[in-house]
Amino acid sequence: VNEKALPARAGIVGAGQAGAALGHGLVRAGVNVVAVMSRTGRSAESLAAALGARAVADLGAVGASAELVVLAVPDDVLAGVAAALPARYGHKVLHCSGAVGMEVLDPARDAGASVGVLHPVTPLVPPAAPETLAGKPMGIEAAGDPGWIVALACALGGVPVSLAGVDRPLYHAAAAMSANLVVAMCATAVEVFERAGLSRDDAETLVGSLVTATARNVATRGPVAALTGPVRRGDAEVLDRHIKALARLEPDVLAAYKAASRRILAIMPEGEAKQRSSSVLGVAGR
Ligand SMILES: NC(=O)c1ccc[n+]([C@@H]2O[C@H](COP(=O)([O-])OP(=O)(O)OC[C@H]3O[C@@H](n4cnc5c(N)ncnc54)[C@H](OP(=O)(O)O)[C@@H]3O)[C@@H](O)[C@H]2O)c1
């Protein structure tokens, strides 16, 4: 078995968002995706048709036709699916979860397969396209020599980041903060704009523009240099007015605003602005 060579034939288990992105990425990389298996035949057939693969009904058929098996099922069922996969020497089996460690692949490893994790660190929403994963970081880990999984991440156009020795729950929580939690804040901002009297369309336009510019600033300058707003300036009266206005809405909205504002205080340089904002936010300024 040439550990570094790309596998010729791949199978996807779980025809959801990650399965589709990885399937398209593999085809783009020149890997023949031969089999797609999912909980429902409909999902499997639809992704298989898009990838030029065959929809198969069970894990045995995936293992029989593919050298590389990509497990892209929900995290909660991953261990059960991995244990049921009839893996053998010559197989490469990976899962793409940031939240779950490599130990769920022990049954495949014990059966002689090379096992690893390839976690695309990017929000995957439909529709998946061949270039969806290109240029994206990918958390990787392998039992033994990680050469094959590095080669695979690179072939997918990704930028490998080692997860060896990384605290996975913290790693995955940080990924959620940079993606899902930003979405939660944006969705809340749309609602608050609407409560202020803007139309839904205008609210979404403003939020989209602000978050795009903010993300660009964070990516190019880092989070501290990207900070703007009343907490950073120490505009205590404005901050006080925000808090009073938000207190009229659902309690979670004000709680989220205050919690995020306290996180701004935590990264702000010491000084008068920080002290003024701290006093309004009920945090002892240092
Ligand atoms: N979405 C992302 O942004 C993202 C990013 C990086 C990593 N991941 C990881 O990718 C994995 C899948 O997440 P996802 O977002 O792609 O989830 P998803 O869109 O919900 O897709 C999961 C797929 O798994 C199938 N499935 C469920 N139980 C199954 C079983 N017992 N056997 C076979 N197939 C089964 C479902 O089938 P049916 O459609 O047939 O019901 C569904 O298509 C997770 O480990 C997740 O952490 C996701």
Side-chain angles (χ1 to χ4, degrees), residues 3 31 34 51 61 84 92 97 105 126 135 153 162 169 179 205 214 240 261 280 286:
E3 281 290 315
V31 176
V34 291
L51 301 176
K92 293 179 167 74
S97 171
L105 302 177
S162 174
T205 301
T214 303
D240 191 51
S261 296
V280 183
R286 277 173 290 148

Side-chain angles (χ1 to χ4, degrees), residues 7-184:
R9 294 178 308 280
I12 308 280
V13 179
Q17 298 174 10
L22 283 157
H24 281 285
L26 286 167
V27 171
R28 177 182 184 262
V31 176
N32 195 6
V33 178
V34 291
V36 178
M37 184 257 168
S38 202
R39 184 178 47 182
T40 63
R42 209 166 47 139
S43 296
E45 276 155 26
S46 144
L47 181 59
L51 301 176
R54 200 162 57 91
V56 297
D58 59 74
L59 289 167
V62 179
S65 54
E67 293 166 46
L68 170 69
V69 180
V70 175
L71 302 179
V73 296
D75 295 341
D76 286 353
V77 302
L78 190 47
V81 171
L85 178 75
R88 55 171 163 72
Y89 178 74
H91 272 147
K92 293 179 167 74
V93 179
L94 64 83
H95 76 66
C96 49
S97 171
V100 179
M102 228 166 23
E103 64 283 351
V104 293
L105 302 177
D106 281 352
R109 183 187 185 178
D110 293 345
S114 301
V115 301
V117 175
L118 189 153
H119 170 233
V121 192
T122 191
L124 299 170
V125 290
E131 63 282 0
T132 296
L133 298 175
K136 300 298 189 294
M138 291 182 186
I140 55 157
E141 191 175 9
D145 181 355
W148 68 275
I149 209 131
V150 172
L152 190 59
C154 292
L156 289 166
V159 181
V161 175
S162 174
L163 296 185
V166 167
D167 183 315
R168 299 298 287 280
L170 284 181
Y171 160 82
H172 196 244
M177 285 175 187
S178 329
N180 331 152
L181 270 59
V182 173
V183 174

